[in-house]
Amino acid sequence: MHPTTIGLDLAKHVFQVHGVDAAGKSSSARSSGAPNSKHFSRNFHLPGRHGGVRNSPLLGRELAALGHNIRLMPAAYVKPYVKRGKNDEVDAEAICEAVTRPTMRFVPVKSAEQQSILMLHRTRDLFVRQRTMLVNSLRGQLAEFGLIAPQGIWRIPELHALAQDTDNSVLLSPLGLALN
């Protein structure tokens, strides 16, 4: 009998597949290389009912385009269903079990446009965090020379003015040695 529910656990170069038939018996569990839907659908019968994929909008979109009912779940929602040890096979089984729960909450499959906007926001957030780290590092290092300014990115001009007013020879010389 063909599986009616499939759980997919994705890794970088391999994905683990676990299937359960209508009677609840585990009908398949196998690992396959090249995690793309064309390779997967050629080598494995997908159910029409539903399948669970953990955090893969690309694979979710591709499988949905083939006519399958895809349900994405965050990894944190699947973790309680892991029965023993942590490996890809056990994770795929947990995904398969979690997708059948009536109270499980699912994440909608994002379009390519939604994913690109999310990527833009994450990149901007990274730049803001890195800028904050650099400003805090600069403030800390200049505080060791007695140049202290209040916190905030908008206070950097004050710190710059303090640095301009002091004897720069100590700040500019390597290893803190005064220039002659």
Side-chain angles (χ1 to χ4, degrees), residues 143-162:
E144 293 176 5
F145 289 102
L147 302 175
I148 299 173
Q151 285 185 342
I153 190 74
W154 58 92
R155 302 296 183 115
I156 292 300
E158 294 175 28
L159 196 56
H160 184 266
L162 283 173

Side-chain angles (χ1 to χ4, degrees), residues 9-17 30-35 88:
D9 182 53
L10 303 174
K12 289 182 179 159
H13 302 292
V14 173
F15 61 93
Q16 188 71 29
V17 181
R30 70 180 203 187
S31 182
S32 177
D88 292 341

Side-chain angles (χ1 to χ4, degrees), residues 23-163:
K25 292 193 97 178
S26 177
S27 60
S28 63
R30 70 180 203 187
S31 182
S32 177
N36 64 48
S37 64
K38 293 171 186 70
H39 177 268
F40 178 68
S41 61
R42 265 197 318 263
N43 296 324
F44 196 78
H45 173 72
L46 281 174
R49 188 168 151 230
H50 59 268
V53 180
R54 183 174 67 176
N55 284 343
S56 176
L58 173 64
L59 190 58
R61 280 194 308 270
E62 290 178 357
L63 292 175
L66 294 173
H68 302 290
N69 182 4
I70 303 301
R71 298 180 181 181
L72 296 179
M73 296 173 285
Y77 290 1
V78 176
K79 188 169 180 152
Y81 298 98
V82 175
K83 294 178 184 132
R84 66 197 177 280
K86 170 79 175 92
N87 62 39
D88 292 341
E89 185 177 344
V90 172
D91 287 347
E93 183 180 352
I95 291 167
C96 201
E97 184 176 337
V99 77
T100 60
R101 298 296 180 199
T103 59
M104 180 58 65
R105 292 177 290 167
F106 300 101
V107 177
V109 178
K110 292 178 182 68
S111 67
E113 292 80 19
Q114 289 172 322
Q115 267 191 287
S116 65
I117 290 171
L118 183 62
M119 183 180 66
L120 180 67
H121 287 297
R122 286 181 178 164
T123 304
R124 182 186 183 282
D125 186 50
L126 174 66
F127 286 152
V128 169
R129 284 193 322 259
Q130 287 177 339
R131 180 188 69 181
T132 302
M133 288 171 37
L134 285 171
V135 167
N136 288 340
S137 176
L138 179 65
R139 284 183 60 249
Q141 291 168 358
L142 291 177
E144 293 176 5
F145 289 102
L147 302 175
I148 299 173
Q151 285 185 342
I153 190 74
W154 58 92
R155 302 296 183 115
I156 292 300
E158 294 175 28
L159 196 56
H160 184 266
L162 283 173

